[in-house]
């Protein structure tokens, strides 16, 4: 009887201890991935729109333009007004395009987080089901041991008749069965506690999965709306631009073609100036970094030799202030041949011949003469309409460099061939092999060269092995667009040398080779792999 009481107490103690140990020692699948998931989810909110909306410009009446021609002062004022309106219309389209790209970046991060939580939920559910089955089996086995103990532990008149030796042997057997019972009870309690803990984790993972699903659906709605607004802004900019240039031609007694060329030259000059400011900002950052003492624990800022992937945690990836923003210029289209804008590198262009950016039809072939119209799977997006002038005004002496590595030529060739490939096009969230978004395009280009890239623009920046200023670009480096000084990125392009990049731009323009100066809101630092 004492043996049975001891077994009961042991079982209770074992159950309590096993419950505590299971909760403390089980691999917490959901908790282990929560940091990564949360970081991905937070990126969906990093592109918060804080910039004031740019309004559609008011277009003066033709009679007012004609009347202004009578007086020099009025004519000059009207000319400045028309040029300012052209800039404003283009900037409005540029802003809408950037916001759509930011929403696309957020959706990619939200979908990655959802995929991770789906995997976590499935894994924990399967583990919980398996643990419950094992616990039930342990319970059955424990019951069998209890029955054996009951049969082996009985004593009575028969024990007395058997003699003292037989009674002692019988008691030893009972003690052995009792010990087995205690072990079985402990195992049963442990299994039950493990099953209970895994069931809790599975439920938590299911809740997190639902939250991630809701976040991804909300981000999809944001993208759909942002893409709609961008498409509308592109159409309006195209119409307003044509009307404003016609009025400018009337004012200056020029043909429409002459006025268009004048506007394009102005826009290219402004883009070149913006790029030069970004290059200068990156050079200043590099000089300040080289001059400043670097703490032993954390690097002060990126430099050409910084390797955050091997020497610093992800949280130490630097946030670098964006370059000073000059008067925003129009987003170019491909009616003019891309010119080599101020270039940080004079590395020869790869063997594949880069072509000008595509025309305003949603074409995948970036040559000006080709106009196949792909059928994107998602809502259409902003379409740059203004053209580039072939008259760059570089102010930085090119510095001959080598490529980022032997693999870079392979990645660049793949990207240029894809840009020239009939049927290639831009689509939001596109993963290929025909339709791509910007980061899906760079990922597959690098994969063709044996290099791994994560999925989003922000992740690709943070995963870079080095950060290099724009003045030190080499073919194969990734250049980025940011609207918040580098906290997150919303566009990525591959630098191919000679002041040019290849990138998946938007649904209307497609995949194309363009001057580096056409990358809006360019970040002063590039990522090198």
């Amino acid at each position: 009887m004492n043996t049975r009481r001891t077994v009961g107490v042991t079982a209770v103690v074992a159950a309590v201890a096993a419950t505590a140990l299971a909760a403390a020692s089980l691999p917490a699948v959901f908790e282990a991935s929560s940091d990564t998931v949360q970081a991905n989810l937070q990126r969906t909110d990093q592109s918060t729109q804080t910039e004031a909306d740019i309004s559609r410009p008011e277009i003066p009446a033709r009679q007012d333009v004609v009347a202004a021609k009578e007086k020099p002062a009025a004519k000059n004022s009207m000319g400045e007004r028309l040029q300012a309106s052209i800039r404003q219309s283009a900037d409005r389209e540029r802003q809408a395009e950037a916001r759509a790209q930011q929403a696309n970046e957020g959706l990619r991060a939200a979908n990655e987080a959802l995929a991770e939580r789906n995997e976590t939920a499935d894994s924990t559910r399967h583990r919980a089901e398996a643990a419950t089955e094992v616990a039930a089996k342990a319970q059955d086995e424990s019951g069998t041991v209890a029955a054996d103990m009951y049969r082996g532990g009985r004593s009575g008149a028969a024990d007395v008749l058997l003699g003292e030796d037989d009674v002692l042997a019988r008691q030893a057997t009972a003690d052995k069965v009792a010990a087995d019972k205690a072990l079985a009870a402990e195992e049963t309690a442990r299994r039950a506690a493990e099953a209970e803990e895994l069931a809790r984790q599975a439920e938590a993972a299911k809740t997190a999965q639902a939250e991630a699903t809701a976040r991804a659906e909300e981000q999809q709605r944001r993208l759909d709306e942002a893409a709609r607004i961008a498409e509308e802004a592109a159409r309006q900019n195209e119409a307003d631009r044509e009307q404003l240039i016609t009025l400018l031609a009337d004012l200056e007694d020029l043909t429409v073609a002459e006025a268009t060329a004048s506007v394009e030259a102005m826009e290219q000059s402004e883009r070149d100036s913006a790029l030069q400011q970004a290059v200068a900002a990156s050079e200043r950052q590099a000089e300040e970094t080289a001059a400043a003492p670097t703490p032993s624990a954390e690097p002060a800022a990126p430099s050409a030799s910084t390797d955050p992937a091997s020497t610093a945690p992800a949280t130490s990836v630097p946030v670098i202030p964006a370059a000073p923003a000059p008067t925003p210029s129009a987003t170019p289209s491909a009616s003019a041949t891309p010119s080599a804008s101020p270039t940080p590198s004079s590395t020869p262009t790869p063997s594949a011949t880069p072509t000008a950016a595509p025309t305003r039809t949603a074409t995948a072939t970036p040559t000006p003469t080709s106009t196949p119209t792909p059928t994107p799977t998602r809502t259409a997006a902003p379409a740059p309409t203004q053209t580039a002038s072939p008259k760059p005004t570089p102010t930085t002496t090119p510095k001959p460099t080598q490529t980022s590595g032997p693999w870079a030529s392979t990645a660049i060739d793949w990207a240029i061939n894809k840009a020239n490939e009939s049927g290639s096009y831009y689509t939001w969230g596109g993963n290929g092999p025909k339709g791509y978004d910007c980061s899906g395009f760079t990922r597959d280009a690098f994969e063709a060269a044996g290099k791994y890239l994560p999925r989003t623009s922000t992740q690709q920046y943070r995963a870079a092995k080095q950060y290099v200023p724009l003045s030190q670009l080499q073919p194969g480096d990734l250049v980025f667009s940011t609207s918040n000084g580098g906290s997150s990125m919303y566009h990525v392009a591959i630098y191919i040398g000679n002041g040019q990049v290849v990138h998946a731009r938007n649904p209307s323009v497609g995949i194309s080779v363009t001057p580096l100066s056409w990358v809006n809101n360019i970040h002063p630092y590039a990522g090198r792999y």
Side-chain angles (χ1 to χ4, degrees):
M1 198 67 177
N2 289 336
T3 299
R4 294 173 189 169
R5 185 178 298 110
T6 300
V7 170
V9 173
T10 301
V12 172
V13 173
V16 174
T19 301
L21 287 174
S25 62
L26 266 180
V29 177
F30 172 66
E31 284 80 354
S33 64
S34 61
D35 290 343
T36 302
V37 171
Q38 190 61 31
N40 287 343
L41 289 175
Q42 286 174 351
R43 291 194 190 103
T44 66
D45 295 325
Q46 287 183 338
S47 57
T48 302
Q49 299 175 8
T50 57
E51 183 183 17
D53 292 343
I54 299 176
S55 61
R56 189 176 183 181
E58 294 183 4
I59 299 177
R62 187 175 186 280
Q63 58 267 31
D64 294 337
V65 174
V66 173
K69 296 173 63 175
E70 303 300 324
K71 297 180 181 180
K75 181 179 179 180
N76 289 338
S77 177
M78 180 58 72
E80 292 174 356
R81 177 182 174 183
L82 291 173
Q83 290 180 346
S85 294
I86 291 172
R87 290 190 188 95
Q88 182 177 339
S89 180
D91 290 343
R92 181 169 176 265
E93 180 189 354
R94 172 195 57 76
Q95 181 186 67
E97 177 182 338
R99 288 178 174 178
Q101 289 172 330
Q102 290 165 356
N104 183 60
E105 178 79 2
L107 179 59
R108 300 281 67 74
N111 282 341
E112 284 209 335
L114 175 58
E116 186 172 350
R117 287 194 165 175
N118 284 341
E119 183 179 357
T120 298
D122 289 343
S123 173
T124 52
R125 178 173 55 81
H126 290 318
R127 292 184 63 196
E129 291 172 351
T132 299
E133 183 178 345
V134 169
K137 184 178 180 181
Q139 181 66 39
D140 291 342
E141 292 175 350
S142 178
T144 300
V145 172
D148 291 342
M149 184 191 75
Y150 176 75
R151 288 192 297 271
R154 286 181 301 176
S155 60
D159 296 333
V160 175
L161 294 174
L162 287 173
E164 184 177 353
D165 290 341
D166 289 335
V167 171
L168 292 176
R170 189 75 173 271
Q171 185 62 44
T173 300
D175 291 344
K176 175 63 170 60
V177 172
D180 290 344
K181 169 61 177 176
L183 291 175
E186 183 178 350
E187 178 65 13
T188 299
R190 187 184 69 80
R191 293 293 186 182
E194 181 176 318
E196 182 180 351
E197 173 63 16
L198 281 173
R200 183 195 68 78
Q201 290 186 17
E203 187 62 30
K206 183 178 179 180
T207 299
Q209 181 185 33
E211 293 172 352
T213 299
R215 179 67 70 91
E217 291 173 351
E218 173 60 25
Q219 199 65 33
Q220 180 67 63
R221 286 190 290 271
R222 291 183 186 180
L223 172 58
D224 291 343
E225 177 64 9
R228 183 194 65 77
I229 293 172
E231 181 184 12
E232 182 181 13
R235 287 198 305 267
Q236 292 174 346
N237 179 43
E238 184 176 20
D240 292 350
R241 177 183 174 82
E242 180 179 355
Q243 188 175 354
L244 287 163
I245 289 179
T246 299
L247 291 175
L248 184 63
D250 289 344
L251 180 69
E252 301 292 348
D253 292 324
L254 301 171
T255 65
V256 172
E258 290 171 337
T260 298
S262 176
V263 169
E264 290 171 355
M266 173 190 71
E267 291 169 343
Q268 185 60 51
S269 176
E270 290 173 349
R271 283 191 294 271
D272 290 340
S273 176
L275 177 59
Q276 287 307 313
Q277 290 192 46
V279 171
S282 71
E283 290 175 338
R284 286 194 301 271
Q285 288 281 345
E287 291 172 358
E288 291 171 0
T289 299
T294 303
S296 57
E298 292 284 341
S303 66
S305 61
T306 302
D307 186 351
S310 61
T311 62
T315 55
S316 69
V317 174
V319 175
I320 306 163
T327 303
S329 58
T331 304
S333 70
S335 60
T337 303
S339 59
S341 52
T343 66
S345 166
S346 62
T347 303
T349 308
S351 57
T353 304
T355 59
T359 60
R360 175 169 279 285
T361 57
T363 177
T365 305
T367 56
T369 58
S370 177
T371 58
T373 305
T375 306
T377 58
R378 302 202 58 82
T379 308
T385 61
Q386 294 166 322
T387 57
S389 167
K391 301 176 182 178
T393 55
T395 58
T396 297
T397 302
K399 302 174 182 178
T401 60
Q402 297 180 343
T403 62
S404 292
W407 59 269
S409 294
T410 301
I412 291 170
D413 287 345
W414 183 95
I416 293 175
N417 289 337
K418 182 63 66 173
N420 292 330
E421 183 181 286
S422 177
S424 295
Y425 60 93
Y426 182 103
T427 184
W428 301 115
N431 291 307
K434 289 293 187 179
Y436 286 97
D437 66 5
C438 63
S439 56
F441 179 70
T442 53
R443 180 198 60 187
D444 277 13
F446 274 48
E447 183 178 343
K451 287 282 184 177
Y452 167 78
L453 287 183
R455 181 57 181 86
T456 70
S457 301
T458 298
Q459 290 170 346
Q460 290 178 8
Y461 175 74
R462 291 181 176 274
K465 304 302 181 185
Q466 292 178 278
Y467 298 103
V468 294
L470 295 177
S471 58
Q472 299 176 20
L473 281 179
Q474 294 178 3
D477 291 344
L478 296 180
V479 295
F480 298 87
S481 295
T482 180
S483 60
N484 53 23
S487 294
S488 63
M489 308 297 169
Y490 67 82
H491 184 65
V492 59
I494 304 173
Y495 182 69
I496 63 175
N498 287 340
Q500 293 183 311
V501 293
V502 58
H503 49 160
R505 297 183 61 196
N506 59 51
S508 295
V509 176
I511 303 171
S512 58
V513 174
T514 72
L516 178 63
S517 60
W518 289 12
V519 178
N520 292 321
N521 296 326
I522 192 168
H523 192 52
Y525 275 77
R528 179 170 298 168
Y529 283 78

